[in-house]
Amino acid sequence: MGNLGHMTVSDLARRGESVFDRLELLLPLVSKPIQYVGGELNATLKPWDDVQVHWVLMYPDAYEVGAPNQGVQILYEVINERVDALAERTYAIWPDLEALMREAKVPQFTVDGHRAVGDFDLFGLSFSTELGYTNMLSALSLGNIPLLARERDDSHPIVIAGGHAAFNPEPISDFIDAAVLGDGEEAVLLITDLTRDWKAAGCPGGRMGLLLELAKTGVIYVPAFYDVEYLADGRIQRVIPNQPEVPWRVRKHTLMDLDSWPYPKAPLVPLAETVHERMSVEIFRGCTRGCRFCQAGMITRPVRERSITGIAEMVENGLKKTGYEEVGLLSLSSADHSEIADIARNLADRYEGSQTALSLPSTRVDAFNVDLANELSRGGRRSGLTFAPEGGSERMRKVINKQVTEEDLIRTVTTAYSAGWRQVKLYFMCGLPTETDEDVLQIAQLARDVIKAGREATGSRDIRCTVSIGGFVPKPHTPFQWAAQLDHATTDARLAKLRDAIRADRNYGKAIGIRYHDGKPGIVEGLLSRGDRRIGAVILAAWQDGARFDGWSEHFSYDRWMSAADRALADQCVDVDWYTIRERTKTEVLPWDHLDSGLDSEWLWEDWQAALDEVAIDDCRWTPCFDCGVCDQMETQIQVGPTGVTDLPMPMVPAHAPVAEAATQPGA
Amino acid sequence: MAFSAGFSPHPKVSYANSAPTGVASEAEYVEIGVTERCDPAAVRAALDAALPPGLDIVAVVEARSPDFVQRLEASIWQIELPGMGVAEVEIAAQKLLAQGEVTVERLTKNGVRAFDARGPVVSVSVEPGSGCAILRAVVRHATPSVRPDDVLKALRQVAGLVPPAPPRVTRLAQGPLDPVGATVGDPFAHDRAPLAAAKT
């Protein structure tokens, strides 16, 4: 699109030019300037004119959070492997530099080539959370791209949202041109093909012509091609296509056979400090545990495992290319891989004695998990173990389908303390459907029992347990999508009671740490996650009032959001409470009903009813199918082992090149 | 690559006298501990390949003695002052050199700290650049270290020198101070000499 009609020749000549000379003058004046310079090991920078399709990928948070993101790293590499396309990255800019850039008229830039984001053909944003929406508006505005999609012309990039939050992109439908649901690898290749062909054909139909080509595939959602009609009471009446060629429902993408997609092959090694100073290998995608609150588990079905050999090759190759000293085996519930015991033992054997640490972020509550942790930390350090019972009472855990008994938990932590772990972290949620004060107060009892068991098992009083509590936010495409969110005042009162109960305990209170946040940010997240198109005006108003970095407590302002909502929804018959603390009925049209996550809505409703009846269901990885609908509708299936392969395929080699490590340890 | 012992092993890397943020440098030095004898040329090539463009490994030598850091006695700083003429900078530089001591303040982690920014300045010269005056200062490494912005602060205090645009600063060299020529030598000379001697 950077090639169309009303651009002058000199404008064209400037496309893709670096703005670094102008940016450099500002860098001495801001905090942590290194986050804006790029230059990471394994970064790719291609000449602008060598390719036909230019992508800029954004993780809409600070560099330190965004740079380690696997999704962006995978797409960056997949696109850059093509000869006809390039991808560069951009991240949210802190307010100090934003102010200077506006003054000096320096546009939002990529960290790779320091090219203006407005020069690119396609602007992809990965939303892990709705709290990145305002950062998107800052980037568009700094990039001189009109905030409203309908005001963009052929000289502007096509703005495409992806990531988990894109499963309900309606609140940002004013600002994006398209959204992609599900796995991005094949989707970006498809979009790249269609964009290249459209450009080669002379850009028929202009911007809308390309969007129509994308929408016609049935797997790319273009909000402009759908109209929303409302009932007098504010609920949605229906969502209908306004173009004959686009489908009524848009499907999500599902990548099968993870072994053929071993990305990232060359993970980025940032020069600046980031939140995860390690390499990650995704060992499977999807989860079938069926925790009813968990959007990630619901929208990423079915389970697709990477093979034991595929994992070993990625670890080996990644370490060689990066020099990292820690490898995280990632997934939604890593201990659930069908061959995890063999994987852990073999990797631990292979890297024993090298400086390579292995970690398994996992929330599964059973002794098996402790065995794995012991295996992986063989000879290394033992800091803490985290388990996630999620619900404080047995009843609550049935409601959310987290099938862990108190007995399981005590047995697990006893094993952990006996094996030498001294610190156990327990993760819970507050504000779950049907929850009472009593359910949350049971967290205190559980924590006491954990300390008691730990002291008995070790004969030592040097035992600690940290209770971490998050506020529950109902999410689209889950059985709890119909649920009322708990208001923030009740959330806060309940947490205060829990805190008092723990502190009042003379025998155990000092051994129990408690960490939680107040309920207000959850209400804004809830508004954004289950909102509809009317919420776009709220986001815009909040951003205009200064909302940025809403995931950071020092930048977040509840009052600013509420004031923005009051004004933006003044003419509507709906308000923040209507979107958040209101329970929905079965017949209500939900804003995301025209977006197909593969889950059968009838199944979701039945599971919601089962939750209310406190009935749990099993994991279809191990037990027969429960007809959630994903495999039928998407023509997919679960992909799990055993593969029959138990040993790593490669000969023993030094874990990594010694000298490469120096580069990863500035300031060490 | 050698690692420290203990509960949480760290790679043995030490950075001496790193240049302040926002300053360019042609001469930064880092010591890396290794577990076995390595070919310096191979280490140089491997490190260079892993570093971003613009961060170049110019030379690697095998340290012959543990006192390398002590040999980094002074730095040569080049300070480009856009929009300034040689004459006005020259006058200011002479005023600075005429002082025995110039106390400047800097905000550190432990609050504002006052120290002498004149004493460590061994020499100053000024020459014309394109659209700027170029000031070169040889500054002895002291505690607290006197950085280019401290020298500029001192010039402002003694001569009212206020650059109209942000100065561009580059560290040109670090090494042993040659008091006679008021310049710095090659800090690797000591490590290179035995090798050269062995060859002849």
Side-chain angles (χ1 to χ4, degrees), chain A residues 25 27-28 33 38-41 271 325 355 380-383 656 658-663 665-668, chain B residues 1 3-4 7-11 13-15 21-22 32 38 42-43 46-47 49-53 55 166:
Chain A
L25 300 174
L27 292 180
E40 301 92 340
L41 179 62
L271 302 174
E325 287 147 28
Q355 293 294 340
R381 66 198 175 113
R382 284 189 181 179
S383 45
H656 45 268
V659 284
E661 254 161 355
Q665 296 293 325
Chain B
M1 187 90 201
F3 278 70
S4 62
F7 186 64
S8 170
H10 277 77
V13 181
S14 66
Y15 295 80
T21 304
I32 299 173
C38 302
V43 172
L47 281 175
L51 287 169
L55 277 181

Side-chain angles (χ1 to χ4, degrees), chain A residues 93-132:
Chain A
I93 288 164
W94 288 108
D96 61 346
L97 181 56
E98 179 184 343
L100 293 172
M101 284 166 64
R102 288 189 189 281
E103 205 176 298
K105 300 205 177 341
V106 175
Q108 175 90 23
F109 54 86
T110 60
V111 296
D112 303 281
H114 295 91
R115 290 161 167 156
V117 298
D119 288 356
F120 289 75
D121 300 306
L122 300 157
F123 189 163
L125 290 117
S126 175
F127 290 106
S128 302
T129 150
E130 298 82 2
L131 297 176

Side-chain angles (χ1 to χ4, degrees), chain B residues 51-111:
Chain B
L51 287 169
L55 277 181
D56 303 319
I57 303 294
V58 180
V60 172
V61 298
E62 190 178 320
R64 300 281 149 143
S65 57
D67 64 344
F68 173 74
V69 175
Q70 278 91 58
R71 268 175 270 147
L72 301 179
E73 292 175 329
S75 289
I76 305 178
W77 297 99
Q78 173 181 283
I79 305 172
E80 290 174 75
L81 299 158
M84 302 205 86
V86 171
E88 54 180 327
V89 179
E90 183 69 52
I91 291 166
Q94 289 312 321
K95 279 188 181 169
L96 174 65
L97 291 176
Q99 304 285 320
E101 191 178 316
V102 179
T103 302
V104 300
E105 290 185 340
R106 190 202 300 157
L107 190 63
T108 68
K109 271 182 281 187
N110 306 318

Side-chain angles (χ1 to χ4, degrees), chain A residues 121-150:
Chain A
D121 300 306
L122 300 157
F123 189 163
L125 290 117
S126 175
F127 290 106
S128 302
T129 150
E130 298 82 2
L131 297 176
Y133 290 163
T134 50
N135 284 349
M136 162 177 67
L137 297 187
S138 298
L140 290 172
S141 156
L142 274 173
N144 304 314
I145 300 165
L147 297 181
L148 298 176
R150 64 173 175 273

